């Protein structure tokens, strides 16, 4: 391709004087002598594409004071979604054909492409490059840049995925991007006036702490399972009962159950790293621009790996643990016996001892995040040898009481004090406290609620508690048959497979 030498010198000068970060070209302007705007250049060189720019609503933007590079296909495009395709060919800032290969060029729609060579961009030949305007450049392309949907666009454009899209898209918004906007003036009150750049944002996907994955962005790769509407409905029917909640207002209860069920589905569709193998089984892979898109006619949720994971409470954590300090002493300990390290979660535990020889010590644990359903409840006890001491081996008998919320909002409880609930003096004991325990309503929160700065998980009342106490008679204790102390590693609420 031949270029006028004067233009080439000018463009090389632009490239050399710009900052080393090639994405920082927002304010670059070509010499004032180039009187036409980018839009006017398009009108004179690629009229078909210029008309599509107008149809898409970008004509005023390309005539503004902001800087743009337009990659204008000579052939135009016959795509139904003109706006989507036009945005795929416009970049903010100035990118001459001398831009080094490997430099990312972000288009208005977020797609990221590169120059393959001085005469090729995104795999598309440049037939006439570096057409200058006072607010940017135009490069003519032999044909449109091939368009690939990102993960979010697959949801948007395929009616088979409309139910997943309907839930996620309700959190779409357009917001001001101060970092991408340029200050152009000061108003009468001394406040900056910006040449504003507005960007799409979805808090469910992109929230800095609670977002589940920026699947509409092109700068990160995700794997997403895309459920058909039938797969969505099937999963909803299966999962919904687990999110039954109590509220005095039945409409509020129904709304919470509805939202949290949908969240449970969506939260387990997007993966940054390893995808559970069951979720991949039976899917069909679709071409995408930012990862892997797996269309699914059935969601193979393994409950315990996805939305209904076991709840594990580390006994040494102080939050949510209470006891009567006039009757009981609780000490946090670290494992000292090397032989026990691999058997203790977090390498820490608590030792629970009575204040006096006449009492049975008691400790109570909050169990947050419980769903409505069936659980097997376990407590993991440790032998005295975990302390690395050569003390006399001991064991004790314990009893359990579980309290939970009923469907009418009142507290209910169950107790297990069978005589066989004995800890071991020599081995780790994973003791079954309750088998097939039915929890009528869930007691949890969700990421949408937590996104509000006014909310905090610690402010959610916990309605499920497990109480552990020694169950030793005075005779058993005085004779040395049983101790009244125990060492507790953790508590596990393990969902029973549905």
């Amino acid at each position: 391709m031949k270029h006028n030498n004067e233009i080439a010198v000018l463009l090389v000068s632009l490239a050399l004087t710009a900052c080393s970060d090639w994405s920082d070209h927002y304010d670059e302007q070509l010499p004032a002598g180039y009187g036409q705007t980018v839009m006017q250049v398009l009108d004179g060189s690629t009229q078909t594409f210029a008309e599509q720019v107008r149809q898409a609503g970008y004509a005023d933007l390309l005539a503004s004071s902001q800087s743009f590079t337009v990659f204008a296909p000579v052939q135009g495009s016959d795509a139904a979604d003109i706006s989507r395709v036009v945005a795929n060919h416009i970049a903010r800032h100035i990118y001459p054909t001398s831009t080094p290969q490997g430099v990312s060029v972000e288009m208005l729609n977020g797609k990221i492409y590169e120059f393959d060579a001085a005469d090729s961009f995104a795999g598309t030949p440049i037939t006439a490059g570096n057409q200058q305007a006072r607010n940017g450049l135009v490069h003519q392309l032999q044909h449109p840049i091939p368009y690939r949907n990102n993960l979010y666009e697959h949801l948007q454009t395929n009616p088979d995925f409309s139910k997943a899209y309907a839930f996620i898209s309700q959190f779409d918004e357009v917001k001001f991007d101060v970092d991408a906007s340029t200050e152009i003036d000061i108003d009468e009150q001394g406040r900056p006036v910006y040449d504003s750049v507005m960007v799409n944002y979805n808090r469910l996907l992109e929230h800095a702490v609670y977002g589940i994955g920026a699947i509409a962005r092109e700068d990160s790769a995700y794997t997403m399972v895309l459920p058909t509407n039938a797969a969505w409905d099937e999963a909803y029917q299966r999962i919904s009962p687990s999110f039954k909640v109590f509220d005095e207002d039945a409409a509020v209860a129904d709304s919470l159950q509805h939202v949290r069920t949908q969240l449970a589905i969506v939260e387990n569709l997007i993966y940054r790293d390893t995808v559970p193998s069951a979720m991949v089984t039976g899917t069909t892979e679709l071409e995408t621009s930012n990862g892997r898109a797996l269309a699914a006619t059935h969601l193979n949720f393994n409950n315990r790996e996805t939305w209904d994971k076991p709840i594990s409470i580390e006994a040494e954590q102080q939050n949510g643990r209470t006891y009567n300090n006039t009757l009981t002493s609780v000490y946090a300990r670290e494992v000292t016996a090397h032989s026990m390290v691999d058997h203790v979660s977090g390498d820490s535990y608590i030792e629970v001892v009575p204040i006096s020889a006449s009492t049975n010590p008691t400790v109570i644990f909050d169990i947050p995040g419980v769903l409505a359903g069936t659980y097997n409840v376990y407590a993991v006890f440790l032998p005295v040898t975990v302390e690395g001491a050569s003390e006399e081996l001991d064991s004790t008998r314990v009893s359990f009481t579980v309290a939970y919320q009923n469907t009418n909002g009142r507290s209910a409880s169950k107790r297990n004090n069978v005589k066989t609930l004995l800890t071991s003096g020599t081995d780790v004991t994973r003791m079954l406290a309750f088998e097939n325990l039915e929890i009528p309503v869930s007691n949890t929160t969700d990421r949408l609620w937590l996104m509000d700065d006014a909310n905090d998980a610690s402010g959610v009342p916990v309605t499920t508690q497990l109480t552990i106490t020694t169950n030793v008679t005075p005779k058993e204790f005085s004779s040395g048959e049983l101790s009244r102390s125990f060492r507790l590693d953790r508590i596990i609420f393990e969902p029973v497979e549905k």
Side-chain angles (χ1 to χ4, degrees):
M1 180 188 305
K2 295 182 179 179
H3 299 293
N4 182 282
N5 289 337
E6 181 181 353
I7 294 175
V9 170
L10 171 64
L11 294 171
V12 169
S13 176
L14 280 171
L16 292 175
T17 57
C19 68
S20 58
D21 180 359
W22 275 82
S23 67
D24 189 17
H25 290 284
Y26 192 99
D27 291 323
E28 292 176 2
Q29 298 286 315
L30 291 170
Y34 295 97
Q36 291 187 315
T37 66
V38 167
M39 191 64 220
Q40 290 170 324
V41 172
L42 292 176
D43 282 330
S45 60
T46 53
Q47 294 180 358
T48 299
F49 183 71
E51 180 56 32
Q52 292 178 335
V53 169
R54 286 190 170 84
Q55 293 176 23
Y58 288 106
D60 289 344
L61 186 65
L62 296 185
S64 71
S65 61
Q66 298 177 25
S67 301
F68 299 93
T69 300
V70 179
F71 301 85
V74 175
Q75 301 174 0
S77 173
D78 59 359
D81 193 340
I82 294 298
S83 178
R84 192 185 300 270
V85 172
V86 168
N88 196 50
H89 291 80
I90 302 173
R92 296 186 183 276
H93 321 313
I94 296 173
Y95 294 95
T97 55
S98 57
T99 300
Q101 296 180 42
V103 171
S104 295
V105 179
E106 182 176 356
M107 317 310 283
L108 289 186
N109 62 358
K111 303 290 183 188
I112 297 174
Y113 302 116
E114 300 173 359
F115 283 90
D116 309 302
D119 59 356
S120 180
F121 180 77
T124 305
I126 299 173
T127 59
N130 300 322
Q131 296 179 350
Q132 300 174 58
R134 69 168 179 261
N135 64 335
L137 293 174
V138 174
H139 306 302
Q140 291 185 22
L141 301 184
Q142 188 177 89
H143 54 75
I145 298 170
Y147 195 93
R148 292 189 299 161
N149 284 337
N150 61 36
L151 294 166
Y152 195 55
E153 289 169 332
H154 275 300
L155 294 177
Q156 286 177 311
T157 59
N158 191 328
D160 287 344
F161 308 138
S162 63
K163 292 196 173 181
Y165 175 67
F167 177 68
I168 297 173
S169 64
Q170 66 183 298
F171 305 103
D172 283 345
E173 59 180 291
V174 177
K175 69 176 187 177
F176 174 61
D177 187 344
V178 66
D179 293 330
S181 300
T182 301
E183 185 178 333
I184 59 175
D185 203 354
I186 300 292
D187 68 14
E188 294 178 354
Q189 285 75 40
R191 297 171 302 190
V193 176
Y194 291 92
D195 193 352
S196 300
V197 174
M198 307 301 290
V199 295
N200 295 323
Y201 175 73
N202 183 299
R203 62 189 171 99
L204 174 62
L205 300 175
E206 301 176 65
H207 189 276
V209 178
Y210 299 108
I212 59 177
I215 58 172
R217 304 295 178 193
E218 304 285 339
D219 55 357
S220 298
Y222 295 88
T223 297
M224 182 173 185
V225 179
L226 308 175
T228 62
N229 293 337
W232 178 274
D233 288 341
E234 180 186 47
Y236 186 95
Q237 293 301 318
R238 178 156 60 98
I239 293 173
S240 178
S242 295
F243 289 90
K244 181 180 177 64
V245 299
F246 168 78
D247 192 276
E248 293 182 356
D249 186 332
V252 171
D254 290 344
S255 177
L256 287 172
Q257 182 177 11
H258 182 58
V259 169
R260 289 173 180 170
T261 300
Q262 293 177 96
L263 279 173
I265 299 173
V266 171
E267 288 168 349
N268 293 286
L269 298 178
I270 300 171
Y271 298 88
R272 189 67 184 264
D273 299 308
T274 304
V275 185
S277 58
M279 294 295 290
V280 179
T281 303
T283 61
T284 301
E285 188 155 356
L286 307 176
E287 186 179 16
T288 188
S289 62
N290 62 344
R292 296 180 68 198
L294 306 174
T297 57
H298 171 73
L299 292 177
N300 297 308
F301 283 139
N302 179 316
N303 299 2
R304 292 186 185 181
E305 293 181 359
T306 53
W307 57 273
D308 195 13
K309 296 177 181 178
I311 301 168
S312 181
I313 306 297
E314 294 290 337
E316 66 272 14
Q317 293 181 356
Q318 290 187 5
N319 289 340
R321 186 188 72 207
T322 58
Y323 59 95
N324 185 332
N325 58 15
T326 64
L327 301 176
T328 305
S329 293
V330 176
Y331 304 99
R333 308 290 195 197
E334 292 186 359
V335 178
T336 56
H338 180 73
S339 61
M340 295 295 295
V341 169
D342 293 336
H343 301 283
V344 181
S345 175
D347 296 336
S348 299
Y349 61 96
I350 59 171
E351 183 178 12
V352 180
V353 298
I355 292 291
S356 71
S358 62
T359 60
N360 281 301
T362 299
V363 63
I364 304 169
F365 296 89
D366 288 346
I367 314 295
V370 175
L371 299 182
T374 307
Y375 289 90
N376 289 333
V377 180
Y378 297 91
V380 180
F381 295 95
L382 305 174
V384 70
T385 51
V386 73
E387 299 174 4
S390 56
E391 298 179 25
E392 183 178 347
L393 301 181
D394 67 347
S395 65
T396 190
R397 181 188 299 113
V398 295
S399 67
F400 300 95
T401 302
V402 61
Y404 51 87
Q405 190 177 42
N406 223 325
T407 54
N408 58 10
R410 298 189 181 92
S411 181
S413 64
K414 290 186 177 180
R415 189 179 182 196
N416 184 0
N417 61 349
V418 298
K419 296 294 186 180
T420 56
L421 295 174
L422 294 167
T423 66
S424 170
T426 57
D427 300 309
V428 175
T429 305
R430 180 183 165 101
M431 188 178 295
L432 179 61
F434 294 96
E435 185 174 17
N436 293 324
L437 173 69
E438 292 288 342
I439 302 293
V441 293
S442 64
N443 175 218
T444 185
T445 186
D446 59 71
R447 67 180 66 235
L448 293 173
W449 185 82
L450 291 169
M451 286 177 190
D452 187 331
D453 291 339
N455 298 331
D456 184 87
S458 63
V460 179
V462 176
T463 60
T464 304
Q465 291 183 321
L466 183 70
T467 300
I468 304 176
T469 186
T470 58
N471 183 21
V472 177
T473 66
K475 181 180 179 180
E476 289 171 326
F477 178 72
S478 61
S479 67
E481 180 183 349
L482 292 174
S483 167
R484 278 184 170 152
S485 300
F486 60 88
R487 286 150 295 278
L488 182 66
D489 181 17
R490 58 180 174 147
I491 295 164
I492 304 166
F493 272 54
E494 190 172 272
V496 176
E497 282 290 340
K498 298 176 177 61

